[in-house]
């Protein structure tokens, strides 16, 4: 729910954007009242057409988004609501279209700021449109001046295209070869013409002399020999044809060798692709750059954790979790948790995180609690699932969206037991537990 200070910040943002920062602002005790106050400020500004829409269609879209803000964003912002906004931004820069932000963009930016600033790293790939829009608004609307803390939005790195390959000299050589092989063929054509002429002459002589005497046998033999010589294919053309056939066969062999090999990551995602282990939080502190994040050190029973350490030194794995709003610090210290250990390391507000604490959460995402392994399970033991016995991936590639495709099947049963497609999270001492029944696990 938007706090009183958040509502004031949003109203200050709208007023400053309208150039009315020095004027008295209307009261905004609730989100619907905030929407009305922002509309009042926008109407009285020189940017009214931009903020409220210059065309009827755009005006209708702005009003639709403002209505959504009053009805659906007055309380907690669920993942479903974020997904809806993300889908709407897939084909547009701003919520109501146009070339500049509308009042809907400014208002929703302020209402979504707490949710986006605590968005788990695992959800960034499925919220790319929302994050792109959020980053644009926070850098172009004067949000920092209105008191909004800057949010480090993970953006894809620019990878330049490789230079084009050098022009091959093979086509020129092939042309030269063709020209060379064509010459004998042309010579062969002359021979064919000569042979044809010889045949015609022989036929004429034969016709004229048949009245008196038969044509000499050597002349007929010579004509036959000439015809045979003209019908034979040129040697160069035969060599060229043989070369082409050989090249075709080599290409087929290369294609057969280059056939795609089975890739485990390209398969349908399975829960055994994840390296999920029992861990124990040995220290927890507030993230220095984010109020909603904990910076934890978790023992997952490994000799060499993923982060860089001095030779011979053993250190727990560093993990960042967005649990400040849901679990008090004293309940996190010394807690036994379940950790996904083979995710690609990610930077969260300038600090690296090397795993993810798995938690159960309700539909509205206002109740979140880490799932708990049974007492007596050794730290570092891998969580198992009946029927899924393959080795985990070395590292989960975020581009494959394996986590995102697994999340819908990770739920808790009516008794709170975390499951994957109904199969419990199991340890050597029994199933993992949670405090939230019929919830999501992520």
């Amino acid at each position: 729910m938007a706090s009183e200070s958040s509502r004031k910040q949003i109203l200050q943002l709208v007023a400053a954007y309208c150039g009315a920062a020095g004027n008295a602002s209307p009261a905004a005790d609730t989100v619907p009242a905030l929407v009305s106050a922002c509309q009042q400020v926008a109407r009285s500004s020189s940017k009214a057409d931009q903020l409220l829409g210059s065309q009827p269609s755009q005006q209708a879209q702005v009003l639709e988004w403002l209505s959504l803000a009053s009805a659906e964003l007055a309380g907690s912002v669920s993942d479903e609501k974020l997904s809806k906004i993300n889908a709407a931004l897939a084909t547009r820069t701003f919520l109501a279209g146009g070339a500049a932000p509308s009042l809907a963009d400014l208002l929703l930016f302020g209402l979504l700021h707490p949710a986006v600033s605590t968005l788990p790293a695992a959800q960034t790939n499925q919220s790319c449109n929302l994050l792109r829009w959020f980053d644009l608004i926070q850098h172009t609307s004067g949000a920092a001046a209105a008191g909004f803390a800057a949010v480090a939005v993970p953006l894809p790195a620019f990878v330049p295209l490789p230079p084009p390959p050098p022009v091959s000299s093979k086509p020129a050589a092939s042309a030269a070869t063709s020209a060379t092989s064509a010459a004998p063929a042309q010579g062969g054509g002359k021979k064919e013409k000569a042979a044809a002429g010889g045949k015609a002459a022989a036929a004429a002589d034969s016709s004229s002399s048949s009245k008196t005497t038969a044509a000499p046998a050597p002349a007929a033999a010579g004509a036959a020999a000439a015809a045979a010589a003209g019908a034979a294919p040129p040697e160069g053309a035969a060599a060229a044809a043989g070369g082409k056939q050989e090249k075709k066969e080599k290409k087929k062999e290369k294609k057969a060798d280059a056939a795609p090999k089975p890739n485990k990551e390209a398969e349908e995602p399975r829960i055994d692709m994840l390296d999920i282990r029992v861990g124990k939080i040995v220290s927890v502190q507030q993230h220095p750059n984010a109020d909603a994040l904990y910076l934890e050190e978790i023992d997952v029973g490994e000799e060499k954790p993923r982060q860089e350490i001095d030779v011979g030194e053993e250190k727990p794995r560093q993990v960042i979790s967005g649990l400040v709003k849901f679990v008090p610090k004293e309940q996190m210290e010394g807690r036994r948790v379940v950790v996904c250990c083979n995710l690609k390391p990610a930077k969260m507000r300038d600090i690296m995180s090397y795993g993810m604490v798995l938690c159960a959460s309700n539909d509205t995402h206002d109740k979140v609690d880490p799932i708990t392994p049974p007492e007596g399970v050794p730290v570092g033991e891998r969580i198992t699932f009946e029927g899924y016995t393959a080795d985990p991936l070395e590292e989960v590639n975020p581009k494959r969206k394996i986590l995102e495709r697994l999340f819908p099947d990770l739920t808790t049963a009516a008794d709170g037991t975390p499951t994957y497609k109904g199969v419990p999270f199991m340890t050597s001492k029994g199933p993992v537990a949670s405090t939230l029944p019929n919830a999501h696990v992520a």
Side-chain angles (χ1 to χ4, degrees), residues 93-267:
T93 303
F94 300 106
L95 290 170
S102 67
L103 180 60
D105 295 287
L106 301 178
L107 187 64
L108 265 73
F109 167 81
L111 292 173
L112 296 177
H113 186 277
V116 173
S117 63
T118 58
L119 194 68
Q123 288 182 246
T124 55
N125 286 337
Q126 57 191 7
S127 304
C128 55
N129 303 316
L130 172 67
L131 292 175
R132 178 258 306 156
W133 164 83
F134 183 91
D135 196 48
L136 176 63
I137 300 300
Q138 79 170 342
H139 285 99
T140 58
S141 65
F148 287 96
V151 177
V153 175
L155 299 175
F158 172 72
V159 180
L161 294 173
V167 179
S168 175
S169 59
K170 288 183 178 180
S174 300
T177 305
S178 300
T180 306
S181 60
Q186 291 176 358
K190 290 180 181 179
K191 290 181 180 180
E192 288 176 0
K193 289 180 181 178
K199 282 183 178 180
D205 291 344
S206 175
S207 177
S208 60
S209 59
S210 59
K211 297 178 183 178
T212 53
T213 56
E235 293 181 4
K244 287 180 180 178
Q245 184 63 28
E246 187 177 350
K247 286 181 180 178
K248 286 182 180 179
E249 291 177 357
K250 286 184 178 180
K251 284 182 179 179
K252 287 181 181 179
E253 291 176 1
K254 286 182 179 179
K255 285 182 180 179
D257 293 340
K261 297 179 180 179
N263 184 350
K264 187 174 182 179
E265 289 192 17
E267 299 171 3

Side-chain angles (χ1 to χ4, degrees), residues 326-405:
F326 308 105
V327 185
K329 182 179 177 182
E330 55 271 17
Q331 292 183 19
M332 292 290 288
E333 293 174 340
R335 183 166 185 158
R336 293 167 62 80
V337 290
V338 175
V339 184
C340 187
C341 296
N342 62 337
L343 303 181
K344 185 176 181 179
K347 184 175 286 189
M348 301 180 69
R349 304 300 292 271
D350 302 324
I351 297 180
M352 294 300 295
S353 178
Y354 298 88
M356 180 173 69
V357 175
L358 294 181
C359 301
S361 65
N362 61 355
D363 288 335
T364 56
H365 201 68
D366 54 10
K367 291 183 180 179
V368 180
D369 199 37
I371 61 177
T372 309
E375 288 296 329
V377 180
V379 166
E381 179 178 307
R382 188 182 174 201
I383 303 298
T384 59
F385 300 83
E386 186 177 358
Y388 300 90
T389 57
D391 292 332
L393 298 173
E394 180 76 19
E395 182 177 276
V396 175
N397 185 347
K399 293 182 180 179
R400 301 284 184 182
K401 298 188 181 297
I402 291 174
L403 268 183
E404 290 78 2
R405 290 188 284 170

